[in-house]
Amino acid sequence: MRIIVQNSKCQGHARCAAQAPDIFKLDDEGYILPGDIEVAEGEELPASRGARSCPERALELDRTPAARVE
Amino acid sequence: MATNPVPDHVPPEMVRDFSLFTSPGMSPTPNGDPQAAVACVHAGPPIFYSPCNTRDGRGTWVITRASDQRRVLQDAETFSSHRSIFASALGENWPMIPLELDPPAHGVFRSLLNPLLSPKRVMALEPAVRERAIELIERIAASGTSCDVMKDFAFPFAVSIFLRFLGLPDDRLDTFVGWGKDLLHGDDVKRPAAARTIVAFIDELAAMRREDAVDDFMTFIVQAQVEGRRLTDTQVRGIGVLVFVAGLDTVAAAIGFDLAYLARNLKDQQLLRSEPERIVLAAEELLRVYPTVQLIRVATKDINFEGAPIRKGDYVSCATMIANRDPAEFECPNTIDLEREDNRHAAFGYGPHRCLGSHLARREIVIGLEEWLARIPAFRIKRGTAPITTGGHVFGIENLILDWS
């Protein structure tokens, strides 16, 4: 599973980091670091909770196995 | 209040008799529930025009859907927040910063201030916040079985945390609370007088910190550089006034509404007292149902928005208490469910102006509830008293006499 991060939509609510601080890392101003997030196996639940917590809808769950393409 | 002429471009069928200032339950009301009172708009059209929906009696479009409010508040280019609402009370025109600046200028100041109130910084402030809450509540517990939560706890707690953040001593706390009350809830005489007093105070404080630097917020501001330049006096004032105004009333009101709810709902009160680990989630639900702020934007161009012919210069109201009861986004929005999950409420707004103090506010509310419930046994509204609630630009609760005898 992957989380697509739309940095331009992040406004620093930090709700994702409140759900899962190890998955959603913030910069010194409290906004999410750039780049999509690859979710490790076993962390799907906190990751999807965190993505669903964003008031701005800046985080999108991507469950397609497309990331496997090598 | 006089009825305002509705602008010609507003179709008559889009005008509704609704106002956060004059609708039922908005004036001071004993045992009122102003947030529930405004939720009635969801029975009507998603967007309408209210002819009298600001303090000075101007009309606004009213956006009721949370998703539409997001669109408005995330699009600062079309919906500007440059209103000089504070300065206009003085017949002046300068922005509170960063709230009344639009991007890109907004972002520069926001970046300057964000680290001061980031989640990380708030964690460092937490022990002082908790200590202050405990001190106030223990004094209340020791002195009897009843108190006015607003006067004895919520205001002194919120305002002293904020004074500490600014680097000011507690000894003028009552004075500051009085200024804040006059400014946000006072009449046409008290409001400008309070505004003038606050500006003079901020100007004087800035001058003192320029003279003698200490380790505090105002010293940081007067020494700060933006794009290689020191801030102007007006910019320093704009930041100082905003922080002052924003920190005075909102957290105290939230704690007041929350404890009023728990005083009337003993089962929920007991649940949070016996299982305090539930308070963090419960506080989010209480933020959803009892937010206090109406956000107003000004259209910078003509736009047809979801069927509303908004014209350049029109005011657009995004009331957080309306978005938070949108049935399209919250199941059973008028039911208070302290275990509600995925609670993406709008209490702190959406978009680039998201409340800068939200992380501190959240911690203050949670800590306030934790320490109150840990030290005060089962409490109710004192018999023969009634909390008085108010609507308006910022919703509030004037008094809350609790009894635990």
Side-chain angles (χ1 to χ4, degrees), chain B residues 172 199-209:
Chain B
R172 292 179 72 191
V199 167
F201 170 76
I202 294 292
D203 285 353
E204 189 193 320
L205 183 63
M208 277 164 52
R209 295 302 189 252

Side-chain angles (χ1 to χ4, degrees), chain B residues 16-28:
Chain B
R16 281 196 70 195
D17 180 20
F18 169 86
S19 161
L20 290 177
F21 291 81
T22 59
S23 283
M26 295 300 104
S27 58

Side-chain angles (χ1 to χ4, degrees), chain A residues 9 11-15 26-31 49 51-57, chain B residues 70 74 110-111 114-115 118-120 284 329 342 344 349-352 354 359 362:
Chain A
K9 279 195 158 183
Q11 305 294 356
H13 293 261
R15 303 315 297 149
L26 308 180
D27 65 18
D28 286 343
E29 290 190 37
Y31 294 70
R49 276 229 173 104
R52 282 202 311 271
S53 73
C54 178
E56 308 284 350
R57 278 58 174 175
Chain B
R70 272 198 297 282
Q74 287 174 341
R110 187 75 192 215
S111 283
N114 272 329
S118 69
K120 214 185 287 172
E284 293 302 315
E329 249 162 61
D342 300 333
R344 305 197 243 192
Y350 299 117
R354 184 266 310 164
H359 310 303
R362 276 194 160 96

Side-chain angles (χ1 to χ4, degrees), chain B residues 44-123:
Chain B
I47 297 181
F48 59 89
Y49 191 85
S50 161
C52 176
N53 200 32
T54 69
R55 182 156 20 217
D56 50 3
R58 286 191 55 165
T60 76
W61 292 98
V62 177
I63 312 290
T64 69
R65 282 190 197 136
S67 61
D68 289 339
Q69 287 201 9
R70 272 198 297 282
R71 249 185 85 194
V72 168
L73 296 172
Q74 287 174 341
D75 180 4
E77 213 172 290
T78 311
F79 300 101
S80 162
S81 65
H82 191 110
R83 286 208 303 140
S84 297
I85 187 169
F86 184 94
S88 66
L90 302 170
E92 297 171 12
N93 182 20
W94 44 266
M96 287 192 285
I97 297 175
L99 180 64
E100 295 181 329
L101 289 181
D102 291 324
H106 165 264
V108 178
F109 286 95
R110 187 75 192 215
S111 283
L112 178 71
L113 299 174
N114 272 329
L116 303 181
L117 285 158
S118 69
K120 214 185 287 172
R121 186 66 71 91
V122 167
M123 245 194 288

Side-chain angles (χ1 to χ4, degrees), chain B residues 383-403:
Chain B
R383 196 177 294 241
T385 74
I388 293 172
T389 59
T390 56
H393 189 69
V394 181
F395 283 22
I397 177 162
E398 289 178 6
N399 61 306
L400 176 61
I401 322 284
L402 296 184
D403 179 287

